[in-house]
Amino acid sequence: MRDFKILFVYPNLRGMNMLPPAIAVFSQILKNNGFEVALFDTTYYKIGNDFDSDKEKEKNLAVRPFDLKEEVTLKATNPFDDLDQLVNSFQPDLIAMSVTEDIFPLGLRLIKHIDKYDILTIVGGVFPTFAPRKVLKNKEIDIVCVGEGEDALLELCMKLRVGKDYSNIENLWIEKETGEVIKNQIRKVVDVDKIPLPDFSLFEEARLYRPMAGKIYRMFPVETHRGCPYSCSYCNSPAQRNLHNIEHAGNYFRKRSVSMVKRELEFYKNEWGAEYFYFWADTFFAYTDKEFEEFVEMYNDIKIPFWCQARPEQITEERIRQLRSVGLHRMSLGIEHGNEEFRRRVINRKTSNEVIIKAFEIISDYALPAGVSVNNIVGFPTETPELAMDTIQLNRSIADKVDTMNCYAFTPFHGTPLRELSVKMGYIEEDTFTGCLTGEPVLNMSQFPKERIKGLMRTFSLYVRFGKEMWNDIQIAENSTPEGERMFSKLREEYIHKYFSTESVG
């Protein structure tokens, strides 16, 4: 049997995405089956305007100031030249790329650059799943994976290695030389308890370090749940669930057994020197009471600080108490919007402000070492600046209970109801790509212009923390004019001195 090599291309900008578990898992699956694997990761290259998502959040006071200089050295070389060198030295038989919507344009540039080598190329991820035609219309891309990739990618590689026809592999859309697109059905969902331990040896040492509450940790992402049981209209997790239901492929929302989670945690702790765990489930508290008790008992033996996120309506005093006792270091809760009626009608989140406030009070009572952060979004379709101020007002009511406040621009991801509404309302064109959460707003709304959205994003924490007697100055700081920049710089320094410098978190 001949050697068969797969080169993963991971387009990323600094601070945008942490270690991608999917690529690490795919790598181990392929290695277990005798394939050779390599990775090209753009995270630490200077690309374009050198956007850094984490530093953008720091600038806007959404995270505490941090310094990664000791852990990270930026590459001085050209990423396209280095990609050329890797392709020539590794000689891959297949190029595999995983992308989110915001990073797809960079990924496409990379794929276009190496198209001259005429290597079969497959692209997967959330964006290709919900916009397969838009991805496949690029001549440089031969195959799109719709849905989960663990089994589909392995089957593709197994068939390619022995020269078999691969046109009928489930989950794959394949464009033939004639231009015809073969659209195979969705396969049964993956058994998340049978996924191997991830192969992070592909990644540079620097990728293991991430900031959390102003400090740098050797941090590993851990999957406890896949999918989400809720149906927020700005999120594409419900669309994943619907896609698999329609195709009778099984329930997309799955929980990993606590024993399998423990196996992974111990692997990172004992083999990789983990200092921090990042439970990236959409909502960590989707556990039943029995499952939760089992997790707490298990984690009592791990004794490594961790972060997780949950919804306010899931917070109970008993759950926070138990997690705090075994290492809960920091949490994030999503408010998203402060107007109850707008939140229910447009976002499909039915929690009351009273329940939200109570959740933060409970968490505050247990004094997490690095506190709790709150996630907010401005610039929803049909929203107005006045409605956005309701979000600020709700955050003001919990300001003494939280460490930091995130404020993101609404992003109309493919596969979400609010993208469909945005197109229908004429706020975006059908072919519009989203930006990243911390980047530029993309909706064109006369009642809520992009510049106003951007202004509120960067001054959000100022409005929340400072007294209303300072709101006139903050309004000036919203503007990207010389006067606005001077005012923002002045207020930002005051904020850091008052809320970050005098407190020790960690």
Side-chain angles (χ1 to χ4, degrees):
M1 186 180 297
R2 74 180 183 89
D3 290 339
F4 192 92
K5 302 178 180 181
I6 301 94
L7 173 61
F8 286 106
V9 174
Y10 186 62
N12 190 32
L13 299 177
R14 274 191 296 144
M16 185 171 289
N17 296 310
M18 66 182 307
L19 280 169
I23 289 179
V25 167
F26 296 159
S27 175
Q28 193 59 59
I29 290 172
L30 293 172
K31 286 181 176 181
N32 287 348
N33 286 274
F35 294 97
E36 291 187 53
V37 178
L39 169 69
F40 184 77
D41 180 358
T42 67
T43 300
Y44 294 124
Y45 284 96
K46 183 176 175 63
I47 299 176
N49 62 359
D50 199 28
F51 180 80
D52 185 327
S53 181
D54 281 337
K55 281 297 179 182
E56 190 69 15
K57 288 191 284 188
E58 180 189 299
K59 174 185 172 184
N60 292 347
L61 302 168
V63 299
R64 287 176 174 267
F66 64 91
D67 188 357
L68 263 171
K69 288 180 181 178
E70 290 186 9
E71 289 79 11
V72 173
T73 300
L74 296 183
K75 297 178 185 293
T77 52
N78 182 292
F80 298 97
D81 291 342
D82 285 1
L83 180 56
D84 269 326
Q85 290 181 21
L86 180 56
V87 170
N88 282 307
S89 63
F90 186 63
Q91 294 288 306
D93 299 284
L94 178 69
I95 301 292
M97 185 170 73
S98 178
V99 289
T100 51
E101 184 169 345
D102 49 1
I103 209 68
F104 178 68
L106 172 58
L108 188 57
R109 286 174 59 195
L110 295 166
I111 294 299
K112 285 179 180 290
H113 182 74
I114 56 175
D115 185 52
K116 58 195 174 189
Y117 298 105
D118 195 27
I119 303 169
L120 191 71
T121 299
I122 180 172
V123 177
V126 177
F127 174 55
T129 292
F130 294 112
R133 294 185 186 278
K134 291 180 181 178
V135 174
L136 205 52
K137 75 177 183 179
N138 297 282
K139 68 178 183 63
E140 300 83 6
I141 298 171
D142 305 297
I143 306 170
V144 166
C145 182
V146 176
E148 297 177 301
E150 288 93 341
D151 294 336
L153 180 60
L154 176 60
E155 185 178 350
L156 173 65
C157 292
M158 296 284 278
K159 289 189 172 183
L160 287 171
R161 181 164 59 182
V162 296
K164 284 188 176 181
D165 176 58
Y166 57 86
S167 62
N168 64 346
I169 297 176
E170 293 174 324
N171 281 27
L172 301 189
W173 284 33
I174 303 164
E175 184 168 13
K176 300 172 69 176
E177 290 183 2
T178 61
E180 175 193 358
V181 176
I182 300 172
K183 298 180 288 186
N184 292 298
Q185 69 183 41
I186 299 295
R187 65 176 61 224
K188 296 296 182 184
V189 296
V190 170
D191 184 342
V192 292
D193 271 350
K194 293 183 178 179
I195 294 172
L197 293 169
D199 171 29
F200 286 127
S201 67
L202 284 175
F203 295 90
E204 299 168 86
E205 180 77 6
R207 292 290 267 123
L208 305 180
Y209 293 89
R210 290 282 293 176
M212 181 63 71
K215 292 189 175 183
I216 308 301
Y217 296 91
R218 192 174 173 88
M219 186 183 302
F220 290 85
V222 180
E223 182 179 40
T224 54
H225 308 69
R226 184 171 297 189
C228 181
Y230 294 95
S231 298
C232 302
S233 58
Y234 56 84
C235 177
N236 44 34
S237 280
Q240 290 273 24
R241 190 172 66 238
N242 294 338
L243 172 67
H244 287 78
N245 286 343
I246 291 170
E247 296 278 348
H248 305 289
N251 187 0
Y252 187 77
F253 174 64
R254 286 148 290 165
K255 306 172 191 178
R256 292 180 68 199
S257 66
V258 171
S259 62
M260 288 296 100
V261 173
K262 181 181 182 181
R263 172 172 172 256
E264 187 171 336
L265 295 173
E266 290 180 335
F267 171 66
Y268 294 145
K269 178 181 178 179
N270 299 328
E271 302 296 327
W272 285 90
E275 298 173 343
Y276 204 106
F277 289 125
Y278 186 101
F279 292 112
W280 52 276
D282 287 341
T283 176
F284 183 78
F285 282 4
Y287 282 128
T288 64
D289 287 343
K290 181 180 178 181
E291 293 164 340
F292 185 83
E293 294 283 348
E294 188 180 354
F295 175 87
V296 170
E297 183 178 354
M298 175 274 290
Y299 205 87
N300 193 45
D301 295 330
I302 302 297
K303 295 182 172 60
I304 288 178
F306 66 92
W307 171 96
C308 66
Q309 61 185 350
R311 295 167 63 104
E313 64 268 38
Q314 297 175 317
I315 300 300
T316 66
E317 184 172 350
E318 179 60 15
R319 286 196 163 189
I320 298 300
R321 183 191 66 77
Q322 290 188 66
L323 287 186
R324 176 73 171 88
S325 71
V326 297
L328 177 60
H329 184 255
R330 183 173 174 87
M331 285 192 77
S332 291
L333 297 188
I335 286 179
E336 317 312 352
H337 204 279
N339 183 286
E340 287 186 359
E341 193 275 334
F342 186 89
R343 192 168 60 236
R344 175 187 56 79
R345 176 175 54 84
V346 176
I347 309 176
N348 198 30
R349 293 186 66 137
K350 302 175 175 62
T351 309
S352 70
N353 286 353
E354 182 181 2
V355 168
I356 289 172
I357 293 170
K358 179 62 177 176
F360 284 95
E361 290 175 347
I362 290 172
I363 298 171
S364 178
D365 285 344
Y366 282 90
L368 303 188
V372 59
S373 64
V374 54
N375 297 325
N376 303 276
I377 300 173
V378 294
F380 282 107
T382 74
E383 190 181 14
T384 64
E386 291 74 24
L387 282 167
M389 293 306 293
D390 287 348
T391 305
I392 288 172
Q393 292 289 1
L394 179 55
N395 277 259
R396 285 176 66 84
S397 69
I398 58 170
D400 62 334
K401 306 292 191 299
V402 306
D403 179 54
T404 54
M405 292 79 63
N406 285 310
C407 181
Y408 301 116
F410 167 73
T411 49
F413 292 121
H414 281 76
T416 64
L418 286 189
R419 181 184 176 84
E420 296 176 7
L421 177 62
S422 298
V423 173
K424 180 181 178 181
M425 299 287 292
Y427 297 150
I428 55 171
E429 299 295 329
E430 172 59 35
D431 290 335
T432 300
F433 288 100
T434 68
C436 75
L437 292 173
T438 55
E440 297 286 318
V442 298
L443 298 195
N444 293 301
M445 300 188 294
S446 58
Q447 84 283 359
F448 203 172
K450 289 181 182 180
E451 286 303 314
R452 187 73 204 279
I453 295 171
K454 288 170 59 178
L456 284 179
M457 286 171 64
R458 79 170 186 169
T459 59
F460 190 88
S461 294
L462 301 177
Y463 276 117
V464 172
R465 296 281 196 201
F466 286 155
K468 289 188 176 182
E469 71 278 3
M470 297 181 66
W471 278 21
N472 287 337
D473 287 346
I474 298 173
Q475 191 167 11
I476 293 171
E478 288 185 37
N479 303 313
S480 57
T481 60
E483 181 187 16
E485 295 294 343
R486 285 192 297 271
M487 182 61 74
F488 177 70
S489 179
K490 172 179 175 294
L491 295 177
R492 183 179 181 278
E493 289 303 314
E494 183 176 340
Y495 185 100
I496 290 172
H497 177 75
K498 186 172 183 179
Y499 296 106
F500 288 161
S501 298
T502 58
E503 298 175 18
S504 177
V505 174

